[in-house]
Amino acid sequence: MNQRQFELLEWLVSYHTESPPGRNTDPLQDDIVQLLKQLDFTIQREAMYEHDSVVIGTLKGTDAQAPKLILNGHIDVASVEDDQYWTYPPFQLTEHQDWLYGRGVSDMKGGMSSLFYVLERLHQEGHRPKGDIIVQSVVGEEVGEAGTKRACEVGPKGDLALVLDTSENQVLGQGGVITGWITVKSKNTIHDGARHQTIHAGGGLFGASAIEKMTKIIQALNELERHWAVMKHYPDMPAGANTINPAVIEGGRHPAFIADECRLWITVHYLPNESYEDVVTEIEDYLNRVAQADVWLKDNPLEFEWGGTSMIEDKGEIFPSFTVPVDHPGFHQLQQAHQTVHQAPLRHGMSTTVTDGGWIAHFDIPTILYGPGSLEEAHSVNEKIQNEELKKYSEVLYQFLKHWYEYPEK
């Protein structure tokens, strides 16, 4: 790897931008602003939360009508929490036997180091783009805070976007994810001593435990999940990747009461050809029909809350799905750059995980996910990436951007 890129990655890794807890990325964003300004980018900055903001840098092209390219990446990293099992300090870049170790090297400060290195190189060589180059340095991706959504709402729109997140040097689309809360809530509160009156013959007290009723809802979700696995599919997505995970359950107030409320937190994975709005409607319709067949639930309706803006702030997130724009000229340019460097065809398919790419596509911008690093290393103890992999990724990015600067295409 070029020494300058090593220095850039070392600089990025040194910042403790863990999320959660978040609220810690502004010092790194301050430095990124200065770096982009030195490369003639104009800066737009938008606050997300205290000490967290998104940076949108625009390098103006020579032709205002030429297609614009978005280059997107997040600078927050997965939480380390306890570093006792790390062989090397997580926030100190360490090279050992052609591997680079440090939190974020695979997800995704490795990709960001390549971006800044290539932009510097093109600047030093005197290349000027025909169309605008828009860099989105965003935050909150690790906890569903959609910094990319905010950047797309307030920043300039592109004609193509390249997301540099973890994809093992493949071009990937993705299914979507939405979280939700389902609540079973009783209209009445009943003392524990009266439970026998609600469950035995002749008791005469109409009531139920919200926790016990939630088990019926969980069973219904399991049945719907299996139905999806049998009946729904999408090319390159593993069968059954569209799942409904009952992740967290909360219920009851005290052992002296029959539980009058129970809340279930679920994570729903859906296919690339579906929208989260349609999936939510399908789940609610099915569960409401199940509830209508229950003598108690039909009088104590289910409550639903979907999505959210942060797993930290409101315990919710949305990651829209997107597909690979294989017919876009920019995809073909990337194919050629990859072929030139790797001497092998560029593979493309679908990812079972999610990235911010879905939010860019949500704004009707063709989106390509193509980045270094592996999912096995992302978020792992002793997170690492091969030196040679990052070197080749940077060269692909250089070849692609050098060509795009001169020949941007819609």
Side-chain angles (χ1 to χ4, degrees), residues 108-129:
M108 60 161 288
K109 288 181 175 177
M112 292 299 278
S113 73
S114 292
L115 173 61
F116 296 139
Y117 168 66
V118 168
L119 290 175
E120 276 192 353
R121 182 177 170 186
L122 291 168
H123 178 78
Q124 291 165 359
E125 293 173 356
H127 297 285
R128 298 294 299 180

Side-chain angles (χ1 to χ4, degrees), residues 14-33:
S14 70
Y15 281 87
H16 294 234
T17 56
E18 295 169 279
S19 188
R23 318 303 172 249
N24 52 22
T25 57
D26 271 353
L28 177 52
Q29 292 286 51
D30 291 342
D31 283 356
I32 288 173
V33 165

Side-chain angles (χ1 to χ4, degrees), residues 357-378:
W359 278 119
I360 304 177
H362 182 76
F363 287 86
D364 297 321
I365 301 170
T367 301
I368 296 172
L369 169 63
Y370 177 77
S374 69
L375 292 177
E376 289 77 11
E377 290 298 332

Side-chain angles (χ1 to χ4, degrees), residues 151-219:
C152 290
E153 287 172 339
V154 303
K157 186 174 180 179
D159 298 288
L160 177 69
L162 183 64
V163 179
L164 289 72
D165 210 342
T166 313
S167 75
E168 302 181 22
N169 302 283
Q170 306 172 66
V171 167
L172 297 177
Q174 68 186 34
V177 162
I178 185 168
T179 61
W181 287 91
I182 302 169
T183 301
V184 175
K185 190 171 184 177
S186 174
K187 296 176 181 177
N188 301 312
T189 301
I190 302 173
H191 193 279
D192 167 67
R195 177 174 168 81
H196 70 285
Q197 293 178 257
T198 68
I199 63 174
H200 292 304
L205 180 59
F206 184 57
S209 164
I211 291 175
E212 290 172 332
K213 290 299 180 182
M214 185 62 84
T215 64
K216 179 174 286 191
I217 300 305
I218 293 173
Q219 182 180 0

Side-chain angles (χ1 to χ4, degrees), residues 45-74:
R45 191 163 181 173
E46 292 288 326
M48 289 282 292
Y49 300 96
E50 186 177 11
H51 307 306
D52 278 339
S53 58
V54 299
V55 169
I56 306 156
T58 302
L59 179 62
K60 298 301 291 183
T62 58
D63 180 357
Q65 303 305 314
K68 300 172 175 59
L69 176 67
I70 292 174
L71 301 166
N72 170 278
H74 66 88

